[in-house]
Amino acid sequence: MYTVGIDVGSVTTKGVLLNGRDWRHVIRPTGCSPRQAGLEAFEELLGQAGLVRDDISCVIGTGYGRISIPFIDKAITEITCHARGAHHLLEGADMVVDIGGQDSKVILTDGRGNVVNFAMNDKCAAGTGRFLEVIAAALGADVSELADLARGAEPVQISSMCTVFAESEVISLLAQGVDRGRIIAGIHRSVASRVAAMAERLGKGGLILFTGGVAKNDGVREFLARELGRETLVVPESQLAGALGAALLAREKPVRKER
Ligand code: ADP
């Protein structure tokens, strides 16, 4: 039985094709058309596996762009999908901290992949991947380099809460000759403390899985662990938690839309 999960995020579109214990994935930029990105991710998965639409028992869409993709059988919120995917990636995880391109969320689960409670920030870019992208650009770096550039540096205090003001603050710090690594470390701490504050309001998780594209940034992970006072784990597939969860839910509760 083949199922597919498509997670159309603000920055990247992720697709997972699941068959028994095996799964394959694609990640591509969402760009300006969530609909097109979702369709291309789906077609790429089918093409890689040599399958056609009728071979797939159920396709579940998730992420902010899920309403834009017409070929899915059902849409499910990213909160539910992330919780389910995280359970598969790290058995026993009872807290999921997800930092994506334009939102961040903390999900408390029952340790079996079901949502108990959650908190979400989708109103303010601070505490999201977008914030890191803006600051990286101001520092002439790529987001993928930030962790290495800040490794071992003492963080400077970043006082601005807003992305636009924080960008100006970073530019003035650079002009004052403050070391770039220390500025980046300060930015990592600022993102982590915002998200940790959200987690604290939800209660204590025991085993925390960090998901979303920002989970690739080890600097943010380190400050999150420090702020939360608990080990915060990342797995290589962390960015795929939502799409994987969607594919797993498609297998557990398949639905088929009339075509
Ligand atoms: P969404 O689901 O909202 O599209 P993602 O979960 O894919 O977002 O996360 C996108 C964010 O991940 C980007 O804004 C960026 O900050 C961060 N990111 C992506 N790739 C990397 C990388 N290689 N290293 C560090 N951060 C990254």
Side-chain angles (χ1 to χ4, degrees), residues 7-14 27 30 63-64 82 98-103 105 128-133 142-147 211-218 238-239:
D7 176 3
V8 183
S10 61
V11 176
T12 61
T13 293
K14 283 77 64 180
I27 302 181
T30 299
Y64 103 109
H82 268 273
D98 177 75
I99 312 184
Q102 70 175 18
D103 65 24
K105 39 195 174 283
T128 72
R130 181 79 193 125
F131 182 72
L132 291 163
E133 284 182 27
D142 186 81
V143 277
S144 59
E145 302 171 307
L146 294 179
T211 66
V214 177
K216 289 182 178 167
N217 182 327
D218 197 52
S238 270
Q239 196 176 9

Side-chain angles (χ1 to χ4, degrees), residues 54-114:
D54 278 346
D55 295 324
I56 312 297
S57 306
C58 177
V59 184
I60 287 187
T62 189
Y64 103 109
R66 63 187 179 274
I67 44 163
S68 319
I69 39 179
F71 60 86
I72 57 172
D73 293 299
K74 193 180 174 189
I76 296 185
T77 71
E78 56 259 51
I79 303 290
T80 304
C81 292
H82 268 273
R84 182 65 191 87
H87 173 65
H88 191 89
L89 293 173
L90 182 66
E91 207 175 324
D94 57 3
M95 184 176 264
V96 186
V97 174
D98 177 75
I99 312 184
Q102 70 175 18
D103 65 24
S104 43
K105 39 195 174 283
V106 181
I107 309 165
L108 206 55
T109 77
D110 61 0
R112 294 188 302 277
N114 304 302

